[in-house]
Amino acid sequence: MRKVRTLGLLGTGVIGGGWAARALHCGIDVIAADVDPKMEIWIRDTVENAMPQLQALTAGLPMPAPGRLTFTLDSAEMAAKADFIQENVPESLELKLRVLEPISKVADPDVVISSSTSGFMPSELHVGLSHPERIIVGHPFNPVYLCPLVEVVGNEQTSPDVKEAAAEFYRSIGMHVLILKREVSGHLSDRLQESMWREILHMVNDDIATTGEIDESIVYGPGLRWAIMGMSQLYMLSAGEGGVEYFFKQFGPSVDWPWSHNTAPAVTREIIDRFANGTADQAASKSVREQEKIRDECLVAIQRVLAKYNMGAGKTLNDFETRRRAISAG
Ligand SMILES: NC(=O)c1ccc[n+]([C@@H]2O[C@H](COP(=O)([O-])OP(=O)(O)OC[C@H]3O[C@@H](n4cnc5c(N)ncnc54)[C@H](O)[C@@H]3O)[C@@H](O)[C@H]2O)c1
């Protein structure tokens, strides 16, 4: 696959704009195509707004001169000039197939075509396209210029070179690449988010809580931890030195309790072993205490950052400080 000097974007909305800013900041030229001429002003504004954040994020790093942004209403022109194409049109399979088909005919076979789709699988996107072996999913997170995760998804038709070339490109623009073992509807992260989202819809529908209360239940608790460690590692840590066995002994039965509208699989020995092995790998030989120390130091640091913006748990910290100052002033 070819070296990426010019990134082609198909669709320049929230996600397309984010890709543009990230790539331009990393010295990649961008040719952005949209059907709506108003999007030229929009994408230029998006990039301008993102630049100070990107500069702050990478302060002290030797960054190249920014790339050059061009806009076109002609997606075939974009496909002919791009070394890598990222598709970001709205989440409709019919629309994606309709826009990808001509692009796949114009772009050379050594040009990767990656879709930002939140949940369609490569096998759904390949239908009727030229050289499907270079068409993959590269699923980012909003805002793309600050969230580093990109899920790379292929299938049996995908050439391994393509996945590796895409991963290399994404790494070159500062991203964390997660290559999925196999395609699955919703990929990994959106399946997890969707699970929670469906539960939230039940809670709102059953008038159990307001959306604000539900968001508080995330922001002040588990959400704080999720920037540091994933759910599997955190859950096993919550069992302390008792570890995986104690965790499943204590909380194993809860999967059959009415805590969720999602049905869970039977907790088999195999599942427990997978948690044991997976979280042991994640711990990378660190003891429970060592992991707790990292987790806690990060929790303190994140709250101090949030306090600067008076957001979430940072506001709680600020309110506590005001209270403590009032008390100590008598
Ligand atoms: N918004 C998110 O948080 C998010 C996160 C990850 C992935 N995604 C995925 O990224 C994709 C884009 O989402 P978005 O939120 O940026 O949508 P958006 O509606 O903000 O932008 C879509 C853009 O595509 C353009 N477009 C429509 N038809 C077109 C065509 N035929 N040719 C060229 N351009 C066309 C629109 O004019 C618009 O500018 C979707 O697949 C979505 O699921 C979104």
Side-chain angles (χ1 to χ4, degrees), residues 10-16 33-36 39 87-91 95-96 98-99 115-119 139-142 190:
L10 183 62
T12 64
V14 174
I15 294 302
D34 204 290
V35 279
D36 182 351
M39 294 313 285
E87 170 275 307
N88 324 281
V89 301
E91 191 76 353
L95 173 63
K96 287 193 188 285
R98 184 151 44 83
V99 297
S115 173
S116 295
T117 175
S118 294
H139 176 234
F141 291 77
N142 187 47
D190 278 352

Side-chain angles (χ1 to χ4, degrees), residues 269-317:
R269 184 70 242 169
E270 196 184 357
I271 289 181
I272 295 174
D273 287 346
R274 281 186 196 169
F275 270 95
N277 296 335
T279 51
D281 284 348
Q282 286 172 278
S285 305
K286 289 191 188 67
S287 68
V288 168
R289 281 276 169 265
E290 284 170 317
Q291 292 179 72
E292 283 173 346
K293 188 163 180 287
I294 294 167
R295 181 196 62 195
D296 294 351
E297 284 178 357
C298 290
L299 280 171
V300 170
I302 288 169
Q303 287 177 77
R304 292 206 170 274
V305 171
L306 287 172
K308 284 191 198 163
Y309 300 94
N310 207 32
M311 291 289 293
K315 182 173 185 309
T316 309
L317 197 57

Side-chain angles (χ1 to χ4, degrees), residues 23-319:
L24 291 166
H25 182 62
C26 297
I28 308 279
D29 290 336
V30 170
I31 177 163
D34 204 290
V35 279
D36 182 351
K38 291 195 293 300
M39 294 313 285
E40 175 161 15
I41 296 172
W42 196 91
I43 195 172
R44 289 192 189 280
D45 278 358
T46 302
V47 169
E48 201 181 307
N49 283 333
M51 278 308 158
Q53 311 296 340
L54 279 160
Q55 280 152 5
L57 187 72
T58 58
L61 271 67
M63 297 299 290
R68 207 167 56 90
L69 174 65
T70 50
F71 181 88
T72 179
L73 294 171
D74 181 358
S75 55
E77 181 200 351
M78 177 280 290
K81 291 182 175 167
D83 301 313
F84 188 107
I85 295 170
Q86 187 77 34
E87 170 275 307
N88 324 281
V89 301
E91 191 76 353
S92 148
L93 187 56
E94 183 276 320
L95 173 63
K96 287 193 188 285
L97 290 176
R98 184 151 44 83
V99 297
L100 285 170
E101 195 263 341
I103 298 296
S104 72
K105 292 208 163 75
V106 174
D108 284 340
D110 66 345
V111 171
V112 175
I113 302 177
S114 180
S115 173
S116 295
T117 175
S118 294
F120 297 124
M121 297 181 286
S123 55
E124 294 173 291
L125 295 168
H126 283 169
V127 181
L129 305 190
S130 291
H131 295 286
E133 74 283 352
R134 48 68 185 265
I135 295 163
I136 57 164
V137 167
H139 176 234
F141 291 77
N142 187 47
V144 180
Y145 52 90
L146 291 180
C147 289
L149 181 61
V150 57
E151 293 176 298
V152 171
V153 195
N155 65 5
E156 314 74 52
Q157 276 191 290
T158 312
S159 145
D161 293 353
V162 168
K163 279 200 268 186
E164 210 24 71
E168 177 48 34
F169 168 61
Y170 291 136
R171 286 188 194 112
S172 79
I173 56 172
M175 304 189 83
H176 178 88
V177 180
L178 182 60
I179 300 181
L180 268 57
K181 268 195 218 173
R182 55 170 177 258
E183 64 176 8
V184 58
S185 196
H187 324 311
L188 294 194
S189 198
D190 278 352
R191 288 184 75 85
L192 297 174
Q193 294 196 90
E194 186 63 25
S195 194
M196 202 157 175
W197 177 235
R198 289 180 190 185
E199 199 61 46
I200 289 170
L201 290 175
H202 277 298
M203 286 180 181
V204 170
N205 190 44
D206 297 345
D207 201 21
I208 288 169
T210 64
T211 56
E213 288 162 344
I214 295 168
D215 281 353
E216 270 181 53
S217 79
I218 299 167
V219 169
Y220 293 85
L224 257 184
R225 304 184 301 211
W226 288 340
I228 308 157
M229 291 177 190
M231 190 101 166
S232 303
Q233 200 175 1
L234 284 163
Y235 265 24
M236 296 313 122
L237 265 185
S238 73
E241 296 291 346
V244 176
E245 299 298 329
Y246 182 61
F247 179 87
F248 279 100
K249 191 162 167 254
Q250 190 180 181
F251 297 111
S254 75
V255 296
D256 293 323
W257 299 342
W259 282 9
S260 167
H261 286 272
N262 296 310
T263 47
V267 180
T268 59
R269 184 70 242 169
E270 196 184 357
I271 289 181
I272 295 174
D273 287 346
R274 281 186 196 169
F275 270 95
N277 296 335
T279 51
D281 284 348
Q282 286 172 278
S285 305
K286 289 191 188 67
S287 68
V288 168
R289 281 276 169 265
E290 284 170 317
Q291 292 179 72
E292 283 173 346
K293 188 163 180 287
I294 294 167
R295 181 196 62 195
D296 294 351
E297 284 178 357
C298 290
L299 280 171
V300 170
I302 288 169
Q303 287 177 77
R304 292 206 170 274
V305 171
L306 287 172
K308 284 191 198 163
Y309 300 94
N310 207 32
M311 291 289 293
K315 182 173 185 309
T316 309
L317 197 57
N318 288 340
D319 292 346

